[in-house]
Amino acid sequence: MELAEPAFPALPQPKEDAEDWTYPMRREMQEILPGLFLGPYSSAMKSKLPILQKHGITHVICIRQNIEANFIKPNFQQLFRYLVLDIADNPVENIIRFFPTTKEFIDGSLQTGGKVLVHGNAGISRSAALVIAYIMETFGVKYRDAFTYVQERRFCINPNAGFVHQLQEYEAIYLAKLTIQMMSSRQLERSLSGPTGSLKRTHEEEEEIGNMQVTAAQNG
């Protein structure tokens, strides 16, 4: 049985009037995708409310460790919807576990016409890793291509080595997950359309899913 490749949208092309990168831009947020911004905490401070409103921000992903909670916090909970994630900028931190929640939050915002800012402290490692993972899974691109795409818009990004390794592993994980979802939906369609399939075919498909999971684990 041949499997259809998951269909992905094309990555948006950069704006022609994009600014050349300058050092002070590290302290500002940049628009990575239409409606998705990446920046440091300094771009989400109380004094920056007029800029956030000017750009139409409606949702904010605030990334911090417990020990940073005193100085990295949601400042506009009455105005914006927040997702606060407790992530350490540490190579042994398991950041993959936050990718599905982040994707769901960003998708939910963009689908309702909102705009999202993703920020940590410096907007360089943790927040950049989450945005890279979002681009990988949404557009079906490899880590290296997603990294380059984000870096072209926020030049100072630099996920720590542990995050880079996990992002590279994530390529096989999200592709296997998507393929399994596609096969499951096809099986559901068949079962809804009547008992036309054979038990043998179901066993073959289960075997194929098992093989894909093994392959994904080996590739990771």
Side-chain angles (χ1 to χ4, degrees), residues 13-30:
Q13 291 306 302
K15 294 175 182 172
E16 289 182 13
D17 59 348
E19 294 177 76
D20 288 335
W21 181 264
T22 58
Y23 188 81
M25 290 168 74
R26 296 165 68 99
R27 295 190 286 275
E28 303 162 6
M29 63 181 185
Q30 282 78 39

Side-chain angles (χ1 to χ4, degrees), residues 86-100 130 160 162-163 166-167 169-170 173:
D86 180 7
I87 306 175
D89 186 12
N90 183 317
V92 300
E93 176 72 281
N94 174 3
I95 200 168
I96 286 181
R97 65 197 163 114
F98 296 100
F99 294 166
L130 291 183
N160 73 49
F163 292 172
Q166 289 177 68
L167 284 161
E169 283 187 334
Y170 196 57
I173 294 169

Side-chain angles (χ1 to χ4, degrees), residues 3-192:
L3 285 170
E5 287 289 316
F8 294 101
L11 265 170
Q13 291 306 302
K15 294 175 182 172
E16 289 182 13
D17 59 348
E19 294 177 76
D20 288 335
W21 181 264
T22 58
Y23 188 81
M25 290 168 74
R26 296 165 68 99
R27 295 190 286 275
E28 303 162 6
M29 63 181 185
Q30 282 78 39
E31 191 168 20
I32 308 299
L33 291 169
L36 176 59
F37 292 77
L38 170 62
Y41 176 61
S42 59
S43 67
M45 292 166 69
K46 288 184 176 173
S47 60
K48 297 299 168 64
L49 180 58
I51 295 172
L52 295 170
Q53 289 178 320
K54 178 185 149 196
H55 286 288
I57 298 297
T58 55
H59 292 62
V60 179
I61 298 179
C62 171
I63 302 150
R64 66 188 188 187
Q65 236 181 312
N66 281 339
I67 56 169
E68 298 172 308
N70 289 332
F71 64 94
I72 298 177
K73 50 195 169 191
N75 288 315
F76 311 107
Q77 286 180 298
Q78 287 76 32
L79 297 172
F80 307 143
R81 189 167 164 219
Y82 277 85
L83 172 64
V84 180
L85 300 175
D86 180 7
I87 306 175
D89 186 12
N90 183 317
V92 300
E93 176 72 281
N94 174 3
I95 200 168
I96 286 181
R97 65 197 163 114
F98 296 100
F99 294 166
T101 314
T102 302
K103 185 168 185 342
E104 189 182 342
F105 186 83
I106 295 172
D107 282 343
S109 165
L110 298 179
Q111 284 160 11
T112 55
K115 294 188 176 182
V116 195
L117 166 62
V118 184
H119 77 76
N121 183 10
I124 286 174
S125 182
R126 293 169 290 187
S127 52
L130 291 183
V131 170
I132 289 167
Y134 177 80
I135 287 174
M136 286 170 64
E137 189 164 358
T138 304
F139 298 96
V141 295
K142 292 183 178 295
Y143 161 72
R144 177 48 54 190
D145 296 329
F147 173 87
T148 302
Y149 187 87
V150 177
Q151 192 187 43
E152 282 170 355
R153 289 146 187 81
R154 182 166 174 78
F155 186 72
C156 60
I157 66 162
N158 187 22
N160 73 49
F163 292 172
V164 170
H165 182 67
Q166 289 177 68
L167 284 161
Q168 289 167 333
E169 283 187 334
Y170 196 57
E171 285 176 21
I173 294 169
Y174 83 78
L175 283 171
K177 186 175 76 173
L178 272 177
T179 311
I180 290 165
Q181 282 170 354
M182 286 172 63
M183 290 185 72
S184 300
S185 66
R186 274 165 48 186
Q187 283 178 328
L188 180 62
E189 280 168 22
R190 284 202 196 109
S191 64
L192 291 174

